[in-house]
Amino acid sequence: MAQGKNDGLATPDKEAVRAVLDAARAEGRTSLTAPEGKRVADAYGIPVPDEGLAESADEAVQLADRLGFPVVMKIVSPDILHKTDAGGVRVGVSSSAEVRSAYTEIVGNARKYDANANVLGVQVQQMAKPGQEVLVGTVTDPTFGKVVAFGLGGVLVEVLKDVTFRLAPASREDAESMLDGIGASEILKGVRGGDPVDREALTQVITSVSQLAHDFPELVEVDLNPVFASPDGAMAADIRILLSEGQPAERRRYTPEEIRTSMKRLMQPSSVAVIGASNEQGKIGNSVMRNLVDGGFPGEIHPVNPKADEILGRKAYKSVADIPGDVDVAVFAVPAKFVPDTLEAVGAKGIPNAVLIPSGFAETGEVELQDKIVAIGEKHGVRLLGPNIYGYYSTWHDLCATFCTPYDVKGGVALTSQSGGIGMAILGFARSTSTGVSAIVGLGNKSDLDEDDLLTYFADDPNTKCIAMHLEDLKDGRAFVEAARATVPKKPVVVLKAGRTSAGAKAAGSHTGALAGDDAVYDDVLRQAGVIRAPGLNEMLEYARALPVLPTPQGDNTVIITGAGGSGVLLSDAIVDNGMSLMEIPPDLDEAFRAFIPPFGAAGNPVDITGGEPPSTYEATIRLGLEDPRIHSLVLGYWHTIVTPPMVFAELTARVVAEAREKGIEKPVVASLAGDTEVEEASQYLFERGVVAYPYTTEKPVAVLGAKYRWARAAGLLR
Amino acid sequence: MAQGKNDGLATPDKEAVRAVLDAARAEGRTSLTAPEGKRVADAYGIPVPDEGLAESADEAVQLADRLGFPVVMKIVSPDILHKTDAGGVRVGVSSSAEVRSAYTEIVGNARKYDANANVLGVQVQQMAKPGQEVLVGTVTDPTFGKVVAFGLGGVLVEVLKDVTFRLAPASREDAESMLDGIGASEILKGVRGGDPVDREALTQVITSVSQLAHDFPELVEVDLNPVFASPDGAMAADIRILLSEGQPAERRRYTPEEIRTSMKRLMQPSSVAVIGASNEQGKIGNSVMRNLVDGGFPGEIHPVNPKADEILGRKAYKSVADIPGDVDVAVFAVPAKFVPDTLEAVGAKGIPNAVLIPSGFAETGEVELQDKIVAIGEKHGVRLLGPNIYGYYSTWHDLCATFCTPYDVKGGVALTSQSGGIGMAILGFARSTSTGVSAIVGLGNKSDLDEDDLLTYFADDPNTKCIAMHLEDLKDGRAFVEAARATVPKKPVVVLKAGRTSAGAKAAGSHTGALAGDDAVYDDVLRQAGVIRAPGLNEMLEYARALPVLPTPQGDNTVIITGAGGSGVLLSDAIVDNGMSLMEIPPDLDEAFRAFIPPFGAAGNPVDITGGEPPSTYEATIRLGLEDPRIHSLVLGYWHTIVTPPMVFAELTARVVAEAREKGIEKPVVASLAGDTEVEEASQYLFERGVVAYPYTTEKPVAVLGAKYRWARAAGLLR
């Protein structure tokens, strides 16, 4: 058997691990000794060198004879974590005499390093076969729980932070994707005639370690650094394991069915109560009432106000208890201090959803007040949206339960935001661009309902074709990933994660831990969940506007058709930047394009029809691009000329695309319009007809197409 | 003396190099042997191991005895470039006996590898002291000529392309910046307790090699790979030198004074002739005439048309020869085939500038026709703009010499484009945003005038505060860099380089050559020239619009003041993304901010004034930010509320900024406005008053501020 060959233990020996951990716990330790680490590794088929504990120089010599020279020798003491610093490590010890003197030296160094250290002896270990040094480890992320890390070993991983993460337990596929997921991945494939490493062996190390961390949540960190990856195996030189101080608490979780039931009543209510409704202009309770009424909500609207009989022409009630019949949603427009009592009444009435607009909770330091309302909600089974939100819109149900202005352009994107300011930007952008929306939801303090609840609902909502979420943190990263994974095969999920760059690297006890800081884990895990990450607010908004409009590409072949060579170059740059590639045009197709363009135009890709061409040239080439089944998506570069003015281009393009759709040809078409200000109207005209078009930019149309491609790949619709 | 210590030869021995090169040339070789390489290296103080050529096994043993063991032995043959492949290299040869057998083996292997190879013997070489392997080399870039490369050595530089370039000869400062310019630069500083390398020694290797390449342009590639960089020196294991087949041709160059004289007559003409002027609507010659007249050009306008007496009320001439007095510019609006003869007439008349709108030259394959007009221009000293352009605008002189629509918003940015389509996008964007412009110039085929001519003029033009250029290639990269370096201390230069991602890696004879492909050289050299590179078209346009409006920051301390916590987080992300950092607010300043904001607001940075605040809170905190001299730039995050509506925020901010300016306080202030559509008007209002403001984006305002900071650093105005 090759060194370090891992047979992928079908059944890890959990009991053996349990016994090791219990023994360590019994001694009050939160770190394992090297021999204990070896036992844990063996139980999960993680290849570590054969070794033994020597309690004397004689025993060390016997052990080395059995294992074969050269050996590695290391101090064993629960009190000495950094063995090298303590002078407690010797490598390449290659004779009995050397073993004997190394033993004495190591123990002596340890005593000098820490006179009080409990020295158990010296570990004598096989020396791993040389190979590419890599790092495999697991850490406990505050958001996502156990994640497994992989990177090149040694100084490089520290300096370049070239490391990748996946949720534990990692599947075979996850582990394989990690080998390709680092910047220096080519090194594993063998460069300059070097042999490739044994990918199978590495994959098994990753899956085994991640399974171990998953099975024993109390293992806060497991660190294999380095692992020597050779052409015929992989072996960790060392395994380091840290235990948590206590068992991590389990979070409350709802079943998807429970979530769907309450969310459906929230988003499609028949009856809404407004607590704190008011006739007085400028009051939040007045704005909410007006928006519900003016927005044309067809269900019942019940104002609640102890001092009024009628508000905006609707009968007012002293208390929610007085409202006849069932109520689906209670919108709170009262100061924070009145929320607890009113929420009790809402719970007593059996209303399943409370929309808590008021601020003055955790965000202003009133954590106890927030805990109090959460407890009341849990007691009565009332789900809470907020507090500290602008409210929410459910456009297809003509519901504007918000103190902002109404919005009624029905369409395919559901938008959520954790921050009120971002919510207002969403509303303004949507109105300015006539973005078709299915919902806009404020999440605010997320005392209860959060992104995973919303995802669970929107995944099944037939009006929602795309979900875009601004978030600053996730209450439960695992629940989010689960909900995202269930949603992505059905529709794209766009995430703007704010706080990417916060210097969040926590002080951690190992290399792996230090590398998991910043944004690295979020980035890898969100990608693993199939989410499209927007780099900034404007991109999130543009993706949200465009993705529901674009058909899904059926393949990777993108063709640029442009009237401006200059745009063609910039569009090509943008295509590479966005992870797509230009189709290599086969000769017959090249011939077909050439038939329509001047002899000095360039076929190939981009297809450069040249600047002075009439509408018929745009029309013929776009039609060919749509009708040839080998082409899967089109990027158009328009150049404003007198011969083909902007609106002429827009009308012909929209017409040709519509004709193709009637024939059942659905391909994503995006356009960049270069020209005088008429190109703005032309872009809007095209957008409204399903061609995602922008003026004065070659980047945005391609970025949006790239986002659609990323989703199609994550959803398994391409290759 | 430490190994490889380089004393920075004051006077390199050029004659010694010349002799080596001449000898190689005399033998018809374009590559140097290792001993020749050693002589060249010695002449420039480039540390390479001591060595000698052995022509027999006995000589090899003698040499090794003199140099000291261990030694490296390498085949010497002009016919064997890849010595390792030929079995022609042995390292660590450590005794006389080993030297003897290695000699026989190496020569035998060489004969087996290539029976016809001319084997001169075996080089016996000192073995370099181990150290960090790095690569130093020079290549001949088609655009920039000699450039020097630096990166980590070995597999890493190939896989990660972690390499950086500078123009040769590199100054000491350039060389030092290269050590910090690679991703893995920390490794050179010593990590995990390792010793730092000798930066001084490495710097000298870089400057010496780059000087060598500069002094001898016929050295197409010089490759030191690896160089062993240790704590007390640096030594190349090997030097590889390739000669060019012939001497590269020198380009024609103009002096800055010549350029300024002709450019001034182009941009500030007193008299313009329009060749091909027409009364017929739809003709280019009609559009140009109308734009000149309608644009209010105050100088003389002379239509030239053999078939008309008067065009748009101006007397027409049969030929340019008939125009009375001096003419500064002849605008051509005739088909390509008529250009040569007409250009002869323009030359004969002594007109210094021809603006060649017609297409039908090199861009349609008519290279000869273009060469012909270039020759005519050179003969008469007529400078050519174009051909294949939309013309140009010089707004402060009310000159619209173009067939597009007039544009008259005078301001501080000069824009140029190589492509007509991009030119039209510039015009449309400028009009849509009321961007203040000093000039818009089409460069088209750049048969003569190009970016460096324009830079030379705009650098001194008092109306131009910023220059933004779209380019696809540079005719003469060196001339561009020279012009940019002369301009950048005066005003920012923004460049959109299209064709970034084209798979341009050329087949090259060495590692350094292969690494210089793609966009790497452009990127490093443009940065070295102090140019601000725009990642895409839209960014170029936004930088162009905003940079002339923003005052120059006097220091690095940026403070965010925001009404929306959510915007604050995204603005912080953007600040890090754009290479700036948030000021650490000292306690007294923190105290001063806290006095204005609610107790649950957050001082620190961002200063979060919270959402419900009245105009007075925005006003007080912005004023404090402007007046405290420790703060150098402000980023504002506005959140639309009823208490402080968008236009109220815009007016108070513009007023506070204007008041500060009256007191002599000039700081860049940018703003992100989150809210309903009124924030669009508010942003435009602010922009017109010197506050760079955008709706629905937290990235753009910060990206623009970041561009201003990049320029201020490049211009030496910060630190």
Side-chain angles (χ1 to χ4, degrees):
Chain A
M1 194 177 95
Q3 180 194 338
K5 210 61 185 177
N6 177 338
D7 294 329
L9 284 191
T11 322
D13 186 353
K14 291 192 192 181
E15 277 161 35
V17 176
R18 188 71 267 157
V20 171
L21 303 187
D22 287 347
R25 293 268 188 210
E27 291 176 24
R29 284 185 285 124
T30 55
S31 69
L32 300 190
T33 63
E36 286 171 340
K38 164 78 178 160
R39 289 209 290 284
V40 170
D42 287 347
Y44 271 71
I46 298 163
V48 292
D50 203 359
E51 51 90 59
L53 176 67
E55 296 181 5
S56 69
D58 282 344
E59 276 181 33
V61 171
Q62 280 165 25
L63 262 170
D65 278 341
R66 178 169 70 73
L67 298 171
F69 292 97
V71 294
V72 178
M73 295 171 67
K74 294 178 192 165
I75 190 73
V76 177
S77 163
D79 303 317
I80 299 178
L81 268 185
H82 299 283
K83 302 184 189 80
T84 307
D85 295 354
V89 179
R90 289 288 176 277
V91 296
V93 189
S94 50
S95 70
S96 298
E98 284 182 38
V99 167
R100 188 172 300 278
S101 68
Y103 185 94
T104 316
E105 224 180 301
I106 285 172
V107 171
N109 287 345
R111 298 239 182 278
K112 262 182 272 174
Y113 181 75
D114 180 355
N116 300 320
N118 175 20
V119 172
L120 302 176
V122 171
Q123 183 190 28
V124 181
Q125 197 176 52
Q126 278 187 313
M127 221 169 122
K129 210 174 184 177
Q132 176 63 50
E133 289 189 29
V134 301
L135 164 153
V136 178
T138 67
V139 286
T140 308
D141 182 84
T143 301
F144 294 105
K146 299 298 171 196
V147 294
V148 57
F150 172 77
L152 292 197
V155 184
L156 196 63
V157 73
E158 287 179 34
V159 170
L160 295 178
K161 302 212 157 109
D162 186 16
V163 63
T164 186
F165 300 90
R166 298 290 182 280
L167 290 180
S171 67
R172 265 193 77 77
E173 218 176 22
D174 288 336
E176 280 165 9
S177 78
M178 295 180 86
L179 303 189
D180 295 326
I182 58 170
S185 62
E186 272 183 62
I187 284 182
L188 304 177
K189 295 174 184 161
V191 282
R192 276 205 197 160
D195 288 319
V197 304
D198 183 340
R199 295 173 70 84
E200 176 61 26
L202 267 186
T203 302
Q204 286 187 7
V205 173
I206 293 169
T207 53
S208 303
V209 170
S210 79
Q211 187 65 47
L212 169 66
H214 174 77
D215 291 345
F216 295 91
E218 66 199 280
L219 304 185
V220 278
E221 291 187 15
V222 178
D223 215 18
L224 308 182
N225 187 10
V227 174
F228 294 97
S230 60
D232 59 352
M235 181 177 277
D238 196 6
I239 183 165
R240 238 184 101 213
I241 295 175
L242 294 181
L243 307 184
S244 64
E245 301 291 338
Q247 299 285 347
E250 276 291 307
R251 295 191 67 101
R252 178 183 115 186
R253 303 283 283 267
Y254 294 89
T255 69
E257 243 353 271
E258 288 166 342
I259 295 168
R260 275 186 209 107
T261 304
S262 69
M263 282 298 304
K264 190 171 173 190
R265 289 185 71 181
L266 179 70
M267 300 305 292
Q268 308 175 29
S270 304
S271 168
V272 175
V274 179
I275 294 163
S278 169
N279 276 313
E280 197 180 325
Q281 286 244 354
K283 292 255 182 195
I284 286 180
N286 178 262
S287 301
V288 172
M289 274 302 293
R290 269 196 293 125
N291 286 335
L292 282 170
V293 172
D294 297 351
F297 177 61
E300 294 167 23
I301 305 172
H302 303 295
V304 176
N305 184 328
K307 296 181 198 149
D309 294 327
E310 202 183 82
I311 292 173
L312 297 187
R314 312 274 168 146
K315 175 174 169 47
Y317 297 90
K318 304 284 174 228
S319 151
V320 286
D322 303 336
I323 303 173
D326 283 348
V327 176
D328 297 304
V329 179
V331 182
F332 283 59
V334 293
K337 62 183 169 187
F338 299 125
V339 170
D341 284 352
T342 321
L343 190 58
E344 285 281 5
V346 164
K349 168 81 182 162
I351 302 176
N353 291 292
V355 174
L356 303 175
I357 291 179
S359 53
F361 293 88
E363 86 285 1
T364 60
E366 304 292 340
V367 177
E368 275 178 36
L369 185 60
Q370 185 160 319
D371 289 346
K372 191 171 173 184
I373 62 168
V374 170
I376 298 169
E378 286 190 1
K379 185 175 71 182
H380 293 288
V382 185
R383 301 293 314 253
L384 313 181
L385 184 66
N388 185 30
I389 58 171
Y390 47 88
Y392 73 112
Y393 300 79
S394 184
T395 54
W396 292 91
H397 303 279
D398 299 315
L399 181 79
C400 301
T402 159
F403 63 84
C404 306
T405 37
Y407 189 69
D408 61 4
V409 181
K410 297 175 174 63
V413 64
L415 291 132
T416 77
S417 78
Q418 191 164 346
S419 137
I422 304 308
M424 287 300 292
I426 289 173
L427 184 64
F429 174 87
R431 199 186 307 284
S432 182
T433 56
S434 303
T435 296
V437 160
S438 66
I440 301 176
V441 182
L443 281 169
N445 296 4
K446 300 201 280 201
S447 69
D448 176 14
L449 286 170
D450 65 5
E451 287 84 0
D452 33 298
D453 299 297
L454 268 56
L455 273 181
T456 303
Y457 172 76
F458 289 129
D460 292 334
D461 175 31
N463 292 319
T464 298
K465 311 291 182 205
C466 166
I467 303 148
M469 307 185 133
H470 157 267
L471 55 95
E472 293 179 354
D473 54 25
L474 289 170
K475 270 163 52 192
D476 181 346
R478 290 261 161 179
F480 178 83
V481 169
E482 233 168 76
R485 280 182 164 160
T487 307
V488 166
K490 300 177 195 168
K491 52 194 77 170
V493 178
V494 177
V495 166
L496 169 61
K497 165 70 176 70
R500 270 185 296 117
T501 61
S502 64
K506 294 132 277 163
S510 75
H511 302 309
T512 314
L515 288 162
D518 289 343
D519 190 51
V521 174
Y522 253 103
D523 198 55
D524 280 334
V525 172
L526 289 181
R527 191 176 302 110
Q528 194 186 358
V531 154
I532 301 164
R533 196 158 176 193
L537 173 58
N538 198 253
E539 285 91 348
M540 178 186 93
L541 295 170
E542 294 294 0
Y543 294 176
R545 180 185 174 210
L547 288 183
V549 168
L550 281 181
T552 302
Q554 303 299 310
D556 285 322
N557 288 339
T558 300
V559 170
I560 298 173
I561 298 172
T562 183
S567 294
V569 180
L570 291 169
L571 291 168
S572 301
D573 282 348
I575 281 184
V576 175
D577 288 342
N578 284 282
M580 294 177 283
S581 55
L582 287 172
M583 179 187 186
E584 286 206 27
I585 309 240
D588 67 301
L589 186 54
D590 195 69
E591 203 61 41
F593 274 117
R594 272 184 200 284
F596 298 123
I597 65 182
F600 54 87
N605 196 0
V607 179
D608 182 358
I609 70 170
T610 79
E613 290 300 291
S616 58
T617 309
Y618 277 107
E619 184 163 341
T621 49
I622 295 170
R623 181 172 292 119
L624 176 55
L626 286 167
E627 293 189 349
D628 191 287
R630 292 165 293 184
I631 299 174
H632 302 120
S633 55
L634 289 181
V635 176
L636 308 180
Y638 165 74
W639 180 11
H640 189 158
T641 62
I642 301 176
V643 186
T644 308
M647 279 309 296
V648 171
F649 166 76
E651 280 162 16
L652 79 85
T653 301
R655 178 166 43 76
V656 173
V657 168
E659 284 165 11
R661 284 195 187 152
E662 290 202 356
K663 294 185 201 163
I665 300 169
E666 295 263 5
K667 295 180 185 178
V669 181
V670 303
S672 160
L673 278 67
D676 213 331
T677 48
E678 295 106 288
V679 296
E680 296 177 26
E681 184 197 349
S683 296
Q684 184 68 25
Y685 179 94
L686 281 167
F687 221 117
E688 284 162 8
R689 283 156 187 81
V691 175
V692 167
Y694 294 94
Y696 321 132
T697 167
T698 47
E699 300 82 33
K700 269 189 200 174
V702 180
V704 165
L705 181 62
K708 193 87 189 192
Y709 264 105
R710 273 192 278 161
W711 168 67
R713 283 193 201 101
L717 301 173
L718 283 177
R719 312 277 145 91
Chain B
M1 193 176 97
Q3 180 194 340
K5 210 63 185 174
N6 178 338
D7 293 328
L9 284 191
T11 323
D13 186 352
K14 291 191 193 181
E15 279 162 33
V17 176
R18 187 71 267 156
V20 170
L21 302 187
D22 287 347
R25 293 269 187 209
E27 293 177 22
R29 284 186 283 123
T30 57
S31 69
L32 301 189
T33 63
E36 287 171 341
K38 164 78 177 159
R39 290 208 291 285
V40 170
D42 286 348
Y44 270 72
I46 297 163
V48 292
D50 201 359
E51 51 90 57
L53 176 68
E55 296 181 6
S56 68
D58 282 343
E59 276 182 32
V61 170
Q62 281 165 25
L63 261 169
D65 278 340
R66 179 170 69 73
L67 297 170
F69 292 98
V71 294
V72 178
M73 295 172 68
K74 294 178 193 166
I75 190 75
V76 179
S77 164
D79 303 317
I80 298 178
L81 268 184
H82 298 283
K83 304 184 187 82
T84 307
D85 295 354
V89 179
R90 289 287 176 279
V91 297
V93 189
S94 50
S95 71
S96 299
E98 283 183 39
V99 168
R100 189 172 300 277
S101 68
Y103 185 93
T104 317
E105 221 180 303
I106 286 172
V107 172
N109 286 345
R111 298 236 182 279
K112 261 181 275 174
Y113 182 75
D114 180 357
N116 299 320
N118 175 21
V119 172
L120 303 176
V122 171
Q123 183 190 27
V124 181
Q125 197 177 53
Q126 278 187 314
M127 221 170 120
K129 211 173 181 176
Q132 176 64 48
E133 290 189 29
V134 302
L135 165 153
V136 178
T138 67
V139 286
T140 308
D141 183 83
T143 301
F144 295 104
K146 299 296 172 197
V147 295
V148 57
F150 172 76
L152 291 196
V155 185
L156 197 62
V157 72
E158 286 179 35
V159 170
L160 294 178
K161 303 212 155 108
D162 186 17
V163 63
T164 185
F165 300 90
R166 298 291 182 279
L167 290 181
S171 67
R172 265 194 75 77
E173 217 175 23
D174 289 336
E176 279 165 9
S177 78
M178 293 179 87
L179 303 188
D180 295 325
I182 57 170
S185 63
E186 272 183 63
I187 283 180
L188 303 176
K189 295 175 183 159
V191 283
R192 276 207 198 160
D195 287 319
V197 304
D198 183 340
R199 294 172 72 84
E200 176 61 26
L202 267 186
T203 301
Q204 286 185 9
V205 173
I206 293 169
T207 53
S208 303
V209 171
S210 78
Q211 188 66 46
L212 170 65
H214 175 77
D215 291 345
F216 294 91
E218 66 201 278
L219 305 185
V220 278
E221 291 189 13
V222 179
D223 216 19
L224 309 182
N225 187 10
V227 174
F228 294 98
S230 60
D232 59 352
M235 181 176 278
D238 195 7
I239 182 165
R240 237 185 102 214
I241 296 176
L242 294 181
L243 307 184
S244 64
E245 301 291 338
Q247 299 285 346
E250 276 292 304
R251 296 190 68 102
R252 180 183 114 188
R253 304 281 284 266
Y254 295 89
T255 68
E257 242 353 272
E258 288 167 340
I259 295 168
R260 275 186 208 107
T261 305
S262 69
M263 281 298 305
K264 191 172 174 190
R265 289 186 71 182
L266 178 70
M267 300 306 292
Q268 308 174 31
S270 302
S271 169
V272 175
V274 179
I275 294 163
S278 169
N279 276 312
E280 196 181 324
Q281 286 244 352
K283 292 254 182 195
I284 286 180
N286 177 261
S287 302
V288 173
M289 276 301 294
R290 270 196 292 125
N291 286 335
L292 282 170
V293 172
D294 298 350
F297 177 61
E300 293 167 24
I301 304 172
H302 302 295
V304 177
N305 184 328
K307 296 181 197 149
D309 295 325
E310 203 185 81
I311 292 172
L312 296 187
R314 312 274 168 144
K315 175 175 167 47
Y317 298 90
K318 304 285 175 225
S319 152
V320 285
D322 304 335
I323 303 174
D326 283 348
V327 175
D328 297 304
V329 178
V331 182
F332 282 60
V334 291
K337 62 183 171 187
F338 300 125
V339 170
D341 284 353
T342 320
L343 190 58
E344 286 281 3
V346 163
K349 167 80 183 163
I351 302 176
N353 291 293
V355 174
L356 303 175
I357 291 178
S359 53
F361 293 89
E363 86 286 1
T364 61
E366 303 292 340
V367 177
E368 276 178 35
L369 186 59
Q370 184 160 320
D371 289 346
K372 191 171 173 184
I373 61 168
V374 170
I376 298 169
E378 286 189 1
K379 185 175 71 182
H380 294 286
V382 185
R383 303 290 319 253
L384 314 180
L385 184 67
N388 185 30
I389 58 172
Y390 47 89
Y392 74 112
Y393 300 80
S394 184
T395 53
W396 292 90
H397 303 279
D398 298 316
L399 182 80
C400 300
T402 160
F403 62 83
C404 306
T405 38
Y407 189 69
D408 61 3
V409 181
K410 297 175 175 62
V413 65
L415 291 133
T416 77
S417 77
Q418 191 164 346
S419 139
I422 304 307
M424 287 300 293
I426 288 172
L427 184 64
F429 174 87
R431 198 186 308 283
S432 182
T433 56
S434 302
T435 296
V437 159
S438 65
I440 302 176
V441 182
L443 281 168
N445 296 5
K446 301 201 279 203
S447 68
D448 176 13
L449 286 171
D450 64 6
E451 288 83 2
D452 33 299
D453 299 297
L454 268 56
L455 273 181
T456 303
Y457 172 76
F458 289 129
D460 292 333
D461 175 29
N463 292 318
T464 298
K465 311 291 182 204
C466 167
I467 301 148
M469 306 184 132
H470 158 265
L471 55 94
E472 293 179 354
D473 54 25
L474 289 169
K475 269 163 54 192
D476 182 345
R478 291 261 161 178
F480 178 84
V481 168
E482 234 168 73
R485 279 182 164 163
T487 307
V488 166
K490 301 176 195 168
K491 50 195 78 172
V493 178
V494 176
V495 165
L496 169 61
K497 166 69 175 70
R500 270 185 296 117
T501 60
S502 65
K506 294 132 277 163
S510 76
H511 302 310
T512 313
L515 287 162
D518 288 343
D519 189 52
V521 175
Y522 254 103
D523 198 56
D524 281 334
V525 172
L526 289 181
R527 191 177 302 112
Q528 193 187 1
V531 154
I532 301 164
R533 196 157 177 196
L537 173 58
N538 197 253
E539 286 91 348
M540 178 185 93
L541 295 169
E542 294 293 1
Y543 295 176
R545 180 186 174 209
L547 288 183
V549 168
L550 281 181
T552 302
Q554 302 300 311
D556 285 321
N557 287 339
T558 300
V559 170
I560 298 173
I561 298 173
T562 183
S567 293
V569 179
L570 291 169
L571 291 167
S572 302
D573 282 347
I575 281 184
V576 175
D577 287 343
N578 284 281
M580 295 176 284
S581 55
L582 288 172
M583 177 187 188
E584 287 205 27
I585 308 238
D588 68 302
L589 186 54
D590 194 70
E591 202 62 38
F593 274 117
R594 272 185 200 284
F596 298 123
I597 65 181
F600 54 87
N605 195 0
V607 179
D608 182 358
I609 70 170
T610 78
E613 290 300 291
S616 58
T617 308
Y618 277 107
E619 184 163 340
T621 49
I622 295 170
R623 182 173 289 119
L624 176 56
L626 287 167
E627 294 189 348
D628 191 288
R630 293 166 291 184
I631 298 174
H632 303 119
S633 55
L634 289 182
V635 176
L636 309 180
Y638 165 74
W639 180 9
H640 188 161
T641 61
I642 301 175
V643 186
T644 307
M647 278 310 295
V648 171
F649 166 77
E651 281 162 15
L652 79 86
T653 301
R655 179 166 43 76
V656 173
V657 167
E659 284 166 11
R661 284 195 186 151
E662 289 200 358
K663 294 185 200 162
I665 300 170
E666 294 263 5
K667 294 181 185 178
V669 181
V670 301
S672 161
L673 278 67
D676 213 331
T677 48
E678 294 107 287
V679 296
E680 296 177 26
E681 184 197 349
S683 296
Q684 185 67 25
Y685 180 94
L686 281 166
F687 221 116
E688 284 162 8
R689 284 155 185 83
V691 176
V692 167
Y694 294 94
Y696 321 132
T697 166
T698 47
E699 299 83 31
K700 271 189 196 173
V702 179
V704 165
L705 181 62
K708 192 88 189 191
Y709 264 104
R710 272 193 278 163
W711 169 67
R713 282 193 202 101
L717 300 173
L718 283 178
R719 311 277 149 90

